Amino acid sequence: MLPDSSHCVVTSIQALYLHVPFCHTICPFCAFAVHGNRTALHRPYLDALRDEIALRGKTHGTPASAVRAVYIGGGTPSTLALDDVAHMLQSLRRNFKLAPDAEIAFEVNPEDALPEYLAGLLALGINRISLGLQSFDGATLAALGRGHDAGQSRAAAEALQSAGPDNFNLDLLHGAPGIGGEAFRRDVQAASDLRPAHLSLYILDVEPGTLFARNPQVRQWAATHREAQGEAFLWASDFLTARGYRHYEVSNYCLPGREGRQNLLVWEGANYLGFGTGAHSHVDGMRWHNHRHLRPYLRCLEKGRAPDHYRESLTPAQRANEALMLALRRDTGIDVAQWERTYGFLWGSRRERIAHRLVQEHKARRDGSRLALTPQGFLLADGITEQLMVES
Amino acid sequence: MPDTTRIRNFSIIAHIDHGKSTLADRMIEFTGGLTAREMGEQVLDTLDLERERGITIKAQSVSLNYHAADGLTYELNLIDTPGHVDFTYEVSRSLAACEGALLVVDTAQGVEAQTLANVYMALEQDLEILPVLNKIDLPSADADKTAAEIESLIGLDATEAVRISAKHGIGIREVLEQIVHKIPPPAGDPGQPLQALIYDAWFDSYVGVVMMVRLFEGEVRVGDRIRFMATGKEFEVAGLGKFTPARKEVESLNTGEVGFLHAAIRVIQDTRVGDTMTSAERPASKPLAGYTRIKPMVFSGLYPASGEQFETLKDALEKLALNDAALTFEHETSAALGFGFRCGFLGSLHMEIVQERLEREQGIDMITTAPTVVYEVHLNSGEVISVENPNLLPDTTRIDHIAEPYIKGHIIAPAEFVGNIMRIAQERRGRQIGMKYLDDKRVMIDYEFPLNEIILDFHDKLKTATRGYGSFDYEPIGFRPGDLVKLDVLLNGEPVDALSLIVPRDKSYHRGRELTRRLRKHIPRQLFEVTIQAAIGNKIIARETITAMRKNVTAKCYGGDISRKRKLLEKQKAGKKRMKRVGTVEIPQEAFMSVVRLVE
């Protein structure tokens, strides 16, 4: 029997996620739970968030060990005033035990990255800032429909550097419709010149339900530029590796030892709780997520109920497939023998044949029982995972 | 004493679209079998598939009461026949239950090749044939010319042929009168031991096997014990009846009559179409001359897309084979496709129809391998074996020679298309053996073809080459030696048994190239590069490459939303269940069929 999270108190929660759904503008490529920024909604939302933290704190808040990572993301968390951020962190600390060296990360948009704001965040104990740059290039930013321009990108990066969090991340997005690979190469170069501890390079996916998905020209462009995107991806991997970065996950690079801790814990299958609209949680093989829309989320909490929208308890096959999928996205790969032991499935000759062929074609490396994809393999991670998955 | 003098059993022979079903409907309407409101379009075509394709596949029967001009009431039993060349066998078994046949010819089109074949069959069975000239309402109709054609081509007297328009109900009474006066009543003696021909059968989930029977001698009543003379099995008659066309139960069937019978028969193998049914208490001394069982001409492997459906497919084939005596199947195993069946068909249309019925009526996902003919392989040892699967061809060192089945084909078409016809016939190894002008505009050309060349799409090609005017029919003429080789397909160096073909040596290079090109088109990009090779023995004669997929990854693994991504991948995986995996290559169903459509 898997534990029901509403009654169980003995599991250890290692990571917490807080979702801030407000944005200055809604990006045409974004598929997250977001709302245009209406300041009037901040108060009720933050109150509800405080209630949810308290509610889940009662069931999960006396962990066997302390929380090691907190991530405040969105949406755009930097739409919040510093006071509000302070209150959020207080709620967290009241209800959960945070490890002294816990990584507390916060997402900031360039238009909000003013020196005072950044200094204020650091003063609150936030020790990792992730800047949603996407690009330094004006045309790229316009094509992505971002709320900031090239000048703001540059100013934000400089402000972040001088604010001096030792641990910061820059987000870059490649594949804006109509923009060639040169702009992306310049972006990667410029971003790595700033020597951030961490870089996220995303290739634009046209997600169902987004504005981009409804635009046939964008879809057409994405379909015809897959190959070019692949080339840019491999170029960036080579370039950043040469500059001392580790390509440790499909879309993530870091200086040695500076992986995003929240990400790692999620990918490793640790227990984590998510708060706020659409936030996801995982506790001992039980996954659930909150209502994506503001109204039902607020209503649940008004009535003192957990705002869970969907819950599933994973079957052994689903757990095995998740582990495989997540491990193959990382440079550390999957330990086949351990996977067999943990999930009780046989790797078998069919999978081994595929693995062998991948190694032959330099899409994977084999080190004992460990199979890890190379950057070329990362480009095919979905297809490879699908082939290696067990029938569910 | 039942009176057989007022019974008439007849069929309608016609080329596709010459109006057979329409005429049948008009006769049902005219005799009051159904009110106009009850009349759906073309009552006799009951299978969905028949209506969609506009052809009659399964023979159906209907009993009509007709009040004739002489003041008497006659029972007219119309036994429907299929019109397509593939279904010759069904035609012959329907004709065996009749004393006469209407030959319906479209006066705007004239006599067609398939009409000839069926008329000859009816003539061989000594049936009274009544020519009917249909579609006289059309502006392009030429009834005189058609009548002349019937006389010159078939040798039937067409001077009394009724001129009708089935569509507009013109001339229906005259047709019915001719049936009454020209077709002889059934012979036979009600006092004799029961002899009844089973000419159709199907499985009904409520009453078990239902058979259509034609009584030649004696009578049968509900409760009688009956025996099947071929299988020796005995049953008690649970129900008898007629289709008027509504199902009508009766207490007994008598000499000369046609009707259905069921006897709580659960095992479909216990009955055999063509068998003679007799009384268990008072059996007949010998069975009726059954009709010759036609051998299947075209073979293909049917494999369930997923292994779990193997038993379902087996049951479904058994049910279809019950009333489709020409369908054969036996278990076979393919290295590439797993467990399945090698099925025998009369022709490619028959094959397609069986496939569609399995998929549509039974919901089975299948992979069908390229159709092939039966080869006679003469070994050095003097032994001769039949090979209906290219993979069972013995090693070439053991083979003296291979013979393949040939057919004699008749093509009737407007003379202006003779050049086109000759061109496509030549591409298919056809040899012209004769040509005859039917009049100044139409011509009949006789050809000999290897059956293999015409099984798949010859008919379509002929239609294209003659702007739809050409018609084609054929009969088998035996086996002839040929210079034939086995063409294998290798994917990433591994042979795929289900893709092998037997081809003439002098065309093997061309076909090999064509085949690899087609496979490249039908196999989607995969994780790995796929090489496609065509080989004869150890010699590679053609090669194509499908380059590997370049990018297949989503950038973000969503802030904690692991389930969504996993589900997406699981869904993709499930979607590939209809593909077959050979080594690391996934082959979609279309690829298996594409290999035979070689001549564009």
Side-chain angles (χ1 to χ4, degrees), chain B residues 567-578:
Chain B
K567 281 178 193 158
L568 218 70
L569 294 176
E570 281 170 349
K571 208 165 129 191
Q572 277 171 23
K573 192 178 187 75
K576 288 193 177 166
K577 277 193 177 154
R578 284 197 69 159

Side-chain angles (χ1 to χ4, degrees), chain A residues 317-328:
Chain A
Q318 289 171 330
R319 296 174 81 153
N321 285 341
E322 282 190 355
L324 181 77
M325 169 181 94
L326 295 168
L328 287 174

Side-chain angles (χ1 to χ4, degrees), chain B residues 48-226:
Chain B
D48 281 355
L49 216 61
E50 292 185 357
R51 281 217 192 151
E52 269 170 42
R53 293 186 176 230
I55 52 173
T56 308
I57 306 160
K58 293 301 310 162
Q60 302 279 329
S61 301
V62 58
S63 300
L64 305 170
N65 283 318
Y66 172 60
H67 308 288
D70 61 12
L72 299 171
T73 299
Y74 293 83
E75 179 178 317
L76 308 185
N77 295 312
L78 164 57
I79 293 158
D80 203 10
T81 58
H84 191 274
V85 58
D86 270 6
F87 302 104
T88 315
Y89 177 72
E90 302 236 343
V91 174
S92 88
R93 80 192 202 198
S94 302
L95 294 178
C98 302
E99 278 78 35
L102 302 181
L103 167 61
V104 178
V105 184
D106 178 344
T107 51
Q109 304 285 334
V111 175
E112 305 274 7
Q114 277 139 39
T115 325
L116 288 182
N118 289 349
V119 172
Y120 290 142
M121 210 179 319
L123 287 171
E124 276 166 31
Q125 299 202 17
D126 249 350
L127 301 195
E128 181 65 35
I129 296 171
L130 312 178
V132 175
L133 305 172
N134 194 17
K135 305 201 186 181
I136 53 163
D137 56 303
L138 293 182
S140 55
D142 190 340
D144 292 336
K145 191 175 138 196
T146 304
E149 255 181 28
I150 290 172
E151 293 191 356
S152 72
L153 220 60
I154 308 171
L156 283 175
D157 179 5
T159 48
E160 289 184 38
V162 192
R163 299 177 180 213
I164 69 163
S165 163
K167 189 175 164 197
H168 297 288
I170 301 165
I172 307 303
R173 170 175 287 278
E174 287 74 9
V175 173
L176 291 165
E177 284 297 319
Q178 284 207 352
I179 291 170
V180 166
H181 295 295
K182 291 193 169 180
I183 294 176
D189 180 353
Q192 287 294 310
L194 173 68
Q195 264 186 322
L197 175 71
I198 303 168
Y199 68 89
D200 197 3
W202 62 92
F203 194 84
D204 179 290
S205 41
Y206 293 104
V207 299
V209 177
V210 179
M211 287 158 285
M212 290 304 302
V213 293
R214 154 73 201 268
L215 275 69
F216 281 88
E217 304 282 353
E219 67 161 355
V220 63
R221 301 189 147 270
V222 174
D224 282 358
R225 253 197 110 60
I226 49 159

Side-chain angles (χ1 to χ4, degrees), chain B residues 64 99 113 134 151 200 240 259 327 358 363 379 434 440 451 465:
Chain B
L64 305 170
E99 278 78 35
N134 194 17
E151 293 191 356
D200 197 3
L240 293 168
L327 170 68
L358 288 170
L379 301 177
D440 55 341
L451 174 63

Side-chain angles (χ1 to χ4, degrees), chain B residues 369-381:
Chain B
T369 65
T372 174
V373 299
V374 187
Y375 293 93
E376 251 181 31
V377 180
H378 298 253
L379 301 177
N380 292 327
S381 62

Side-chain angles (χ1 to χ4, degrees), chain A residues 31-32 202-203 205 207-208 226-227 229-230 249-251 266-267 272 280 287 310 312 314 318 321-322 325-326 329 350 353-354 357-358 361 363 378-392, chain B residues 308 491-492 494 525-531 546-577 579 581-586:
Chain A
F32 286 97
Y202 296 112
I203 301 177
D205 290 319
E207 296 275 346
R226 244 169 237 152
E227 202 133 313
Q229 290 180 352
E249 196 261 0
V250 170
S251 304
V266 168
W267 296 333
Y272 57 90
H280 290 260
R287 291 196 180 277
Y310 177 78
E312 68 177 339
L314 301 177
Q318 289 171 330
N321 285 341
E322 282 190 355
M325 169 181 94
L326 295 168
R329 291 178 64 91
R350 189 184 68 78
R353 244 197 337 268
I354 294 171
R357 187 98 198 251
L358 289 170
E361 299 190 356
K363 288 175 178 138
F378 281 159
L379 268 180
L380 294 169
D382 286 9
I384 293 169
T385 303
E386 182 250 298
Q387 295 260 310
L388 296 176
M389 270 166 51
V390 301
E391 299 278 346
S392 57
Chain B
E308 302 121 53
L491 291 182
N492 289 339
E494 289 179 52
R525 280 189 173 200
Q526 324 241 327
L527 274 184
F528 305 110
E529 182 180 281
V530 178
T531 55
I546 303 169
T547 54
M549 228 182 242
R550 288 293 164 80
K551 173 179 175 275
N552 182 335
V553 64
T554 39
K556 280 197 190 187
C557 213
Y558 301 89
D561 187 359
I562 307 300
S563 302
R564 175 174 156 193
K565 186 161 173 61
R566 187 202 73 235
K567 281 178 193 158
L568 218 70
L569 294 176
E570 281 170 349
K571 208 165 129 191
Q572 277 171 23
K573 192 178 187 75
K576 288 193 177 166
K577 277 193 177 154
M579 295 202 186
R581 191 151 38 197
V582 177
T584 56
V585 187
E586 284 165 334

